[in-house]
Amino acid sequence: MTVLDLGVPAVPGAAATTTDTSGRPADARLVDSWGRVATDLRVSLTDRCNLRCTYCMPAEGLEWMPSEQALTDDEVVRLVRIAVERLGVAEIRFTGGEPLLRKGLEDIVAATAVLAPRPEMSVTTNALGLTRRAAGLAAAGLDRVNVSLDTLRRDRFTEITRRDRLDDVLAGLRAAREHGLDPIKVNTVLMPGLNDDEAPDLLAWALDEGYELRIIEQMPLDAGHSWQRDRMITAEQVLASLRTRFTLTDDPAERGGAPAERFLVDGWTAPDGSPAKVGVIASVTRPFCGTCDRTRLTADGQVRTCLFSQTENDLRSFLRGGGTDDEIADAWRVAMWGKKAGHGIDDPGFLQPDRPMSAIGG
Ligand code: SF4
């Protein structure tokens, strides 16, 4: 596939009358040179986590970011405000590490909820502590949650996460449902010989509970750089496994920039009465970069144009150096204009980024 085959339209409505030195059209939004527009901001609030998933980090954890390098709550809120008010961002996903480890999460959510136009807000979490925080997050204005869960078996959970906390995760999910943080999406990574036989069970459980299951192909973003393509469970394998127990049909709904390829599960209904769905996020074997609408902010104030970026653009020095909102917005626009066509995992020279997934966020 050559870059040009991405089939992305020219920037809709962008008045390409004046351009800056990089050829970027005079467009207030986060456009890139392939015609994509980023409207979905992923904000990593910490690189720390209270689990030690084997496919993510070593048992001893990682060298955590020094607190003085991390953005303060006010700095996070300022960047989110600039993104919403000046850059056309309409969706905010708070991630980590584990975002519930951020004490000020409720305040950050509340400050985001009063922005105009109000962005849709979600959190990607391992759900530990959600029993205590769900009510406060819902009251602060959070719309919904994505919960990471790879197995329903206690022994396997403990083996994968190196923590015996399955019951707490399940309780956290129920608390999210009780407080209306839905639709609740459950993100699962399957690993050969560990939990790759559990896809049908996980789907049956999710359908019963009213959660939407999404199975994610493991990506080369682990701290140990031990990812091997031939050890990854592919979308094809996932669908074949699910079809041993369920009848799946393509979801007719428009996919847009959504990472998940969704399928209707015949004979099942979601809590809102719509057809129940299951998703597969196949970044490696069925890349969706051509319609990517994501921009990312790290916990230390760097813009990442892509999960797999080899470079980052620093906004923290603007924040702490007296930069104006205009200057920050412009720096963000210039950063996104340089976004690459795709992740390049299939390119011979592909290099895994230095920053691990735990410091980028889902
Ligand atoms: S790999 Fe990068 S470009 Fe592709 S969909 Fe993910 S964030 Fe977007």
Side-chain angles (χ1 to χ4, degrees), residues 36 283 288-289 292-294 296 305-308 339-343:
R36 297 167 297 194
S283 311
F288 37 87
C289 303
C292 181
D293 61 359
R294 286 163 295 282
R296 296 170 188 274
T305 58
C306 164
L307 268 176
F308 294 92
K339 177 170 180 159
K340 289 201 164 40
H343 52 46

Side-chain angles (χ1 to χ4, degrees), residues 79-351:
L79 291 179
V80 167
R81 177 177 55 71
I82 291 168
V84 170
E85 293 178 349
R86 293 163 180 264
L87 300 172
V89 162
E91 282 177 71
I92 309 276
R93 171 87 54 83
F94 295 110
T95 73
E98 173 46 49
L100 292 188
L101 292 179
R102 183 97 186 201
K103 292 195 181 55
L105 179 59
E106 285 81 355
D107 297 339
I108 292 172
V109 168
T112 305
V114 296
L115 295 175
R118 185 195 187 286
E120 191 211 302
M121 274 186 291
S122 57
V123 161
T124 297
T125 172
N126 61 29
L128 296 181
L130 209 43
T131 45
R132 284 178 291 106
R133 309 280 292 273
L137 289 168
L142 187 68
D143 296 300
R144 60 174 192 77
V145 295
N146 281 29
V147 171
S148 307
L149 180 63
D150 302 324
T151 177
L152 296 169
R153 289 180 41 175
R154 188 172 175 185
D155 57 339
R156 287 180 176 179
F157 185 93
T158 308
E159 185 178 349
I160 293 171
T161 67
R162 301 184 179 107
R163 301 285 185 275
D164 183 10
R165 304 284 307 269
L166 176 61
D167 292 345
D168 298 327
V169 172
L170 297 175
L173 277 160
R174 289 191 296 274
R177 187 174 54 202
E178 279 153 28
H179 292 282
L181 296 173
D182 52 30
I184 296 171
K185 300 180 179 179
V186 173
N187 293 346
T188 295
V189 176
L190 299 178
M191 287 146 287
L194 201 47
N195 62 339
D196 56 340
D197 59 350
E198 243 183 292
D201 292 343
L202 281 158
L203 181 53
W205 162 80
L207 292 166
D208 279 340
E209 297 287 339
Y211 307 143
E212 181 179 322
L213 180 70
R214 296 114 61 81
I215 300 182
I216 306 175
E217 284 182 342
Q218 196 187 349
M219 294 179 279
L221 287 168
D222 58 308
H225 290 212
S226 59
W227 178 86
Q228 294 167 278
R229 191 185 177 116
D230 56 8
R231 300 245 338 121
M232 178 193 74
I233 303 294
T234 66
E236 221 52 55
Q237 292 168 297
V238 169
L239 292 167
S241 171
L242 292 174
R243 287 189 163 118
T244 60
R245 208 187 299 172
F246 299 94
T247 303
L248 307 180
T249 49
D250 291 355
D251 180 6
E254 183 65 35
R255 180 176 177 185
E261 205 176 329
R262 298 165 95 187
F263 301 84
L264 308 183
V265 186
D266 286 15
W268 287 85
T269 305
D272 64 0
S274 64
K277 298 180 182 180
V278 61
V280 175
I281 300 180
S283 311
V284 180
T285 62
R286 301 178 177 188
F288 37 87
C289 303
T291 55
C292 181
D293 61 359
R294 286 163 295 282
T295 182
R296 296 170 188 274
L297 199 56
T298 65
D300 53 354
Q302 312 300 304
V303 171
R304 293 182 63 80
T305 58
C306 164
L307 268 176
F308 294 92
S309 297
Q310 291 292 335
T311 58
E312 298 178 340
N313 294 73
D314 178 25
L315 295 184
R316 189 186 58 208
S317 54
F318 282 94
L319 288 170
R320 297 182 180 177
T324 65
D325 287 1
D326 279 342
E327 287 165 341
I328 292 171
D330 267 347
W332 206 330
R333 291 185 190 109
V334 169
M336 291 305 293
W337 179 248
K339 177 170 180 159
K340 289 201 164 40
H343 52 46
I345 291 174
D346 294 328
D347 298 354
F350 171 73
L351 282 176

